[in-house]
Amino acid sequence: EISVAGAGLLKFVNAVMGYCAVAKDIKPKREMVARLEKNFYVAKRDLEKIQRELESLEVTLKELGRKYEDSMNKKRQLAEEAEVMQRRLVAADKLINGLSSEKVRWQEELAELRRQRVQLLGDCLLGSAFLSYCGAFNHEFRQQMVQENWKKDLQARGVPVNEEFNLQRLLTNEVEISKWTSEGLPPDELSLQNGVLTTQAKNFPLCIDPQQQALSWILKREANNGLKVCTFNDPDFLKQLELAIKYGFPCLFRDVDEYIDPVIDNVLEKNIREVGTRRFVVLGDKEVDYDPNFRLYLNSKLSNPKYSPSVFGKSKIINYTVTLKGLEDQLLSVIVGYERKELEEQREQLIQETSLNKGLLKDLEDTLLRELASSTGNMLDNAELVQTLENTKTKATEVEEKLLLAETTAREINEIRDGYRPAAMRGAVLFFVL
């Protein structure tokens, strides 16, 4: 028979043996798990530490990236500024080189303008008095009125006036005078004064012109402007005048005697009427639209005409009667043209070229000053201004060289022409004696 106690003991022993066998197999695994858990926690701590370091490195990297971007932006900005500065340096060099030659002249002109500003009142009084009252008189009487009477009276009254008052310098300039000379106006002082009166007087000019100096000058001056030439004896003179008034052409009445047809009185007096935007003048029984570019000249061959006060009030009477010096210069040109035709042609061509070059030089200077005055912002950043300055100075230098060459050539030509001057002087003296 089986013992119950033994069976229980057997089961207990088997269970203990099974436990031992299992415990023997499980223990290394538990030790490995504990070891692995320990390693896990160590690794986890290391990971957290590394992650914290990584986060710190990422923050540092972002900061370095931002600093890098700032540095690159600053580098680009500095490069752009360096480029701008280099461009400004080049522009400044061009401006300095371009304007250095003008500095002395501009300083002298500024000082002269400041001096003239003080004397402008008396100069303007003399100039306006000359334009108003001196046109009909000869050169000697004009000089007496302006220099001896009016100027001294102004000085006595304490009015500032230029001691060396010169009408041409006040009312015109060298470029304009050169242009007149190239158009055939004699260069003597009387003729230049008459040129000023003809171009700047308020009223239309009536030229006392026995030697036809004014006629020749006006014909040449207005040749390219559609000049209408007629006399009061022409049957269609009113039609010619009407066309000139309407379309802004110059009109010249030649061979005018002491009688002036009253039909043109409204034109002479500039009785211009306005209705709305329309401007017109009454010519005879017609209303003719008035163009502001219209110019009227009257020319008389009479040496001593007697005009009524009303004619003096309507027009500007200008005495073009030739002086001894003026006639001498004209006769010299005629003699040289006959004896040395090629020399006179060269001289006339030189006068034309000089006039054109002086006009071009003045235009270039005006362009330069206008560009400088209208420049906004930093002048060195205005590439167009610098380029314009460079081109202007290049052209101005070329023109100045041409003018210097022309001056030398003109001197040589005048030396040759002076050889014929005694003959011209005798002719002029003979004319005035007769």
Side-chain angles (χ1 to χ4, degrees):
E1 290 184 1
I2 299 172
S3 173
V4 174
L9 181 62
L10 179 62
K11 289 181 181 178
F12 173 77
V13 170
N14 285 337
V16 170
M17 292 302 291
Y19 172 80
C20 289
V22 171
K24 185 178 179 180
D25 185 50
I26 292 298
K27 184 179 179 181
K29 293 182 179 179
R30 284 181 174 174
E31 290 175 353
M32 183 180 293
V33 168
R35 191 168 57 250
L36 290 175
E37 284 181 346
K38 181 180 178 181
N39 291 339
F40 168 74
Y41 287 118
V42 171
K44 185 176 180 182
R45 283 197 305 272
D46 293 341
L47 176 62
E48 290 176 351
K49 180 180 178 182
I50 291 171
Q51 284 178 337
R52 285 194 299 272
E53 291 178 355
L54 179 61
E55 289 175 356
S56 175
L57 289 174
E58 286 179 348
V59 172
T60 304
L61 181 62
K62 288 181 180 179
E63 181 67 20
L64 291 175
R66 185 183 62 77
K67 290 181 178 179
Y68 173 76
E69 288 295 328
D70 292 342
S71 299
M72 292 302 294
N73 290 334
K74 189 173 183 180
K75 178 185 175 183
R76 282 193 296 271
Q77 183 179 357
L78 290 173
E80 291 173 358
E81 289 180 359
E83 184 181 352
V84 170
M85 292 303 173
Q86 182 64 31
R87 191 167 61 244
R88 287 180 177 178
L89 179 63
V90 174
D93 185 60
K94 290 180 179 179
L95 283 173
I96 291 172
N97 291 334
L99 297 176
S100 58
S101 60
E102 302 291 337
K103 179 181 178 181
V104 176
R105 184 172 64 86
W106 285 349
Q107 286 178 338
E108 292 174 352
E109 287 187 358
L110 180 61
E112 178 64 18
L113 288 173
R114 285 174 175 167
R115 184 184 64 80
Q116 290 179 0
R117 182 176 61 182
V118 178
Q119 302 167 338
L120 193 60
L121 175 60
D123 290 353
C124 288
L125 281 172
L126 285 179
S128 59
F130 180 89
L131 291 174
S132 299
Y133 303 113
C134 292
F137 302 109
N138 60 28
H139 182 252
E140 291 77 12
F141 195 67
R142 291 180 184 178
Q143 290 297 102
Q144 180 183 342
M145 283 194 296
V146 174
Q147 299 294 339
E148 298 181 16
N149 297 335
W150 295 340
K151 189 173 81 171
K152 290 182 178 179
D153 182 66
L154 289 175
Q155 291 172 336
R157 296 173 184 270
V159 178
V161 62
N162 192 339
E163 186 64 35
E164 299 177 356
F165 174 77
N166 183 285
L167 182 75
Q168 294 88 278
R169 190 164 57 242
L170 176 67
L171 297 178
T172 185
N173 54 63
E174 288 186 5
V175 175
E176 189 72 16
I177 290 173
S178 179
K179 184 171 181 288
W180 293 346
T181 305
S182 69
E183 292 165 349
L185 186 69
D188 60 282
E189 186 174 8
L190 174 66
S191 298
L192 296 180
Q193 289 178 357
N194 289 336
V196 171
L197 288 164
T198 302
T199 56
Q200 299 197 23
K202 180 181 178 181
N203 296 336
F204 292 123
L206 194 166
C207 305
I208 302 172
D209 187 29
Q211 287 80 34
Q212 301 292 274
Q213 283 185 343
L215 180 65
S216 300
W217 175 49
I218 293 169
L219 289 173
K220 193 169 182 179
R221 173 182 173 83
E222 302 288 6
N224 297 324
N225 299 325
L227 177 66
K228 306 291 183 183
V229 182
C230 53
T231 69
F232 285 115
N233 295 324
D234 294 341
D236 64 339
F237 80 86
L238 278 179
K239 184 64 176 177
Q240 296 289 335
L241 181 59
E242 179 184 341
L243 291 174
I245 295 172
K246 187 173 183 180
Y247 296 107
F249 297 133
C251 182
L252 169 63
F253 280 94
R254 60 188 301 172
D255 302 331
V256 176
D257 54 23
E258 294 180 355
Y259 173 77
I260 297 177
D261 198 323
V263 74
I264 70 166
D265 280 354
N266 284 326
V267 180
L268 280 178
E269 295 172 0
K270 296 186 178 181
N271 289 331
I272 303 167
R273 303 180 184 179
E274 295 186 14
V275 177
T277 58
R278 184 190 176 207
R279 303 177 76 233
F280 64 91
V281 63
V282 176
L283 182 64
D285 56 353
K286 295 180 66 175
E287 293 181 352
V288 180
D289 291 338
Y290 188 86
D291 190 300
N293 293 318
F294 167 72
R295 296 178 297 281
L296 177 64
Y297 304 94
L298 293 90
N299 185 273
S300 174
K301 287 183 179 179
L302 302 177
S303 59
N304 189 24
K306 295 177 175 58
Y307 291 112
S308 64
S310 62
V311 174
F312 278 85
K314 297 171 188 173
S315 62
K316 171 55 63 179
I317 295 183
I318 306 172
N319 189 350
Y320 270 87
T321 303
V322 69
T323 61
L324 181 63
K325 177 64 176 174
L327 183 58
E328 180 185 322
D329 290 337
Q330 290 183 59
L331 290 176
L332 181 61
S333 297
V334 172
I335 294 171
V336 175
Y338 181 79
E339 297 289 339
R340 298 283 297 274
K341 186 176 180 180
E342 74 288 349
L343 185 69
E344 190 63 19
E345 290 176 352
Q346 183 183 359
R347 173 179 167 273
E348 291 179 358
Q349 182 180 359
L350 188 65
I351 291 174
Q352 295 285 347
E353 291 177 355
T354 302
S355 174
L356 291 174
N357 287 330
K358 284 185 177 180
L360 178 59
L361 184 61
K362 185 176 186 302
D363 291 341
L364 291 172
E365 290 176 351
D366 291 344
T367 300
L368 173 59
L369 291 173
R370 184 169 57 252
E371 290 291 339
L372 290 173
S374 61
S375 176
T376 57
N378 193 326
M379 190 182 298
L380 298 177
D381 294 332
N382 193 337
E384 184 179 352
L385 169 64
V386 175
Q387 187 63 40
T388 301
L389 170 64
E390 197 169 10
N391 294 338
T392 300
K393 289 303 298 178
T394 301
K395 292 179 182 177
T397 302
E398 294 175 358
V399 172
E400 286 175 352
E401 290 175 356
K402 290 180 181 179
L403 287 174
L404 289 174
L405 179 61
E407 186 178 347
T408 303
T409 306
R411 221 170 16 244
E412 295 173 355
I413 292 174
N414 288 332
E415 287 176 1
I416 298 173
R417 293 176 82 246
D418 283 341
Y420 299 92
R421 188 170 293 277
M425 186 182 298
R426 292 191 189 96
V429 171
L430 181 62
F431 173 83
F432 279 96
V433 168
L434 295 177

